[in-house]
């Protein structure tokens, strides 16, 4: 067993193929090809990947984990009502995590924790940002435990939010407040 050397970096156009493949492996939901193009080209989406520098050859730069997110207007978001009232005219924003995943062989090494922390740091660096939020399917205990460990609070349960292979599933909405949000 070799010891991994995990490094985080921004996602780039050359990640397209691997990013699309591991999303397909990790999620029950299909994403449009346009989504992946937007992610790797940074069009309205910010994304970080994890790579293992100890892998041989070009694999040392191949994604083994990813997190994708988008900056949204707090007022127009579905949790605008939960934020502290702000009388200034400056528009507040939130960071919405779209997808997060780590391939099986690399789980329970803290990689998702690091990816989420990267997004929290990014959100905190935006002075007008009040929080990071996400949806998670109600049966995903592993992810839910991780969000709670990282001080995300469950603020809502959304009935039948997901529709997968003819079945409806609820989702939880989790928020991690930043900058006094
Ligand atoms: N060594 C050992 N364990 C550690 C270490 C470490 N260095 N660091 C953290 N851990 C623990 C964590 O505390 C955590 O414990 P907890 O569950 O009791 O809180 C546990 O290991 C898992 O944390 P990570 O290792 O950071 O998480 P991992 O890299 O295994 O990824 C993830 C978790 C993303 C949920 C993964 O299982 C996965 O990809 N699942 C399939 C896709 C998925 O469900 N994604 C989330 C959907 S929701 C959304 O995308 C918005």
């Amino acid at each position: 067993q070799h010891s991994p050397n995990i490094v985080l970096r921004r996602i780039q156009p050359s990640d397209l193929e691997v990013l699309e493949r591991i999303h397909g492996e990790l999620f029950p939901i299909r994403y449009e090809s346009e989504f992946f193009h937007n992610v790797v080209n940074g069009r309205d989406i910010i994304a970080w990947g994890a790579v293992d520098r100890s892998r041989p050859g070009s694999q040392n730069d191949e994604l083994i984990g990813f997190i994708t997110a988008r900056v949204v207007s707090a007022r127009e978001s579905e949790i605008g009502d939960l934020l502290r009232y702000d009388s200034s005219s400056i528009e507040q924003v939130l960071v919405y995590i779209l997808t997060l995943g780590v391939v099986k062989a690399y789980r329970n090494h803290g990689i998702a924790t690091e990816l989420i922390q990267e997004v929290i740091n990014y959100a905190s660096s935006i002075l007008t940002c009040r929080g990071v939020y996400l949806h998670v399917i109600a049966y995903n205990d592993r992810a839910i435990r991780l969000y709670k460990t990282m001080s995300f609070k469950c603020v809502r349960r959304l009935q039948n939010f997901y529709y997968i292979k003819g079945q409806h599933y609820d989702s939880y909405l989790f928020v991690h407040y930043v900058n006094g949000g």
Side-chain angles (χ1 to χ4, degrees):
Q1 263 278 311
H2 76 296
S3 59
N5 175 16
I6 305 299
V7 172
L8 300 196
R9 62 162 176 77
R10 289 295 289 266
I11 285 181
Q12 55 202 34
S14 58
D15 293 322
L16 183 64
E17 209 176 303
V18 174
L19 186 76
E20 196 158 357
R21 173 164 55 77
I22 55 185
H23 268 77
E25 288 166 9
L26 268 43
F27 292 109
I29 299 164
R30 293 283 143 252
Y31 290 88
E32 306 279 338
S33 137
E34 193 193 346
F35 169 73
F36 300 105
H37 281 275
N38 291 343
V39 171
V40 300
N41 293 302
R43 273 191 232 115
D44 211 27
I45 292 178
I46 32 161
W48 286 266
V51 297
D52 179 0
R53 294 289 186 224
S54 74
R55 294 175 80 190
S58 65
Q59 284 189 331
N60 74 357
D61 198 44
E62 188 177 300
L63 296 183
I64 53 101
F66 58 84
I67 193 162
T68 67
R70 166 179 283 147
V71 178
V72 300
S73 148
R75 199 164 31 85
E76 286 161 26
S77 79
E78 61 194 302
I79 56 162
D81 56 313
L82 295 174
L83 299 171
R84 196 163 45 79
Y85 176 69
D86 186 288
S87 56
S88 75
S89 55
I90 300 156
E91 186 176 42
Q92 299 186 17
V93 299
L94 295 166
V95 172
Y96 178 58
I97 296 178
L98 296 156
T99 60
L100 162 72
V102 172
V103 301
K104 277 210 176 94
Y106 284 91
R107 289 191 189 157
N108 297 312
H109 284 79
I111 297 172
T113 302
E114 279 189 55
L115 288 164
I116 296 167
Q117 193 56 55
E118 196 71 30
V119 170
I120 293 172
N121 293 349
Y122 173 81
S124 307
S125 76
I126 304 173
L127 295 175
T128 54
C129 183
R130 293 290 166 260
V132 178
Y133 76 105
L134 57 84
H135 291 105
V136 57
I137 199 158
Y139 64 70
N140 194 343
D141 298 331
R142 186 201 289 264
I144 289 166
R145 205 171 55 227
L146 177 60
Y147 300 139
K148 287 182 177 163
T149 306
M150 298 200 70
S151 306
F152 279 77
K153 308 287 173 236
C154 182
V155 295
R156 227 158 254 173
R157 183 179 180 122
L158 301 156
Q159 301 281 336
N160 301 330
F161 183 82
Y162 294 104
Y163 183 72
I164 301 161
K165 293 186 183 137
Q167 275 260 98
H168 292 282
Y169 300 91
D170 294 355
S171 90
Y172 291 116
L173 200 160
F174 276 89
V175 189
H176 176 106
Y177 295 103
V178 302
N179 298 328

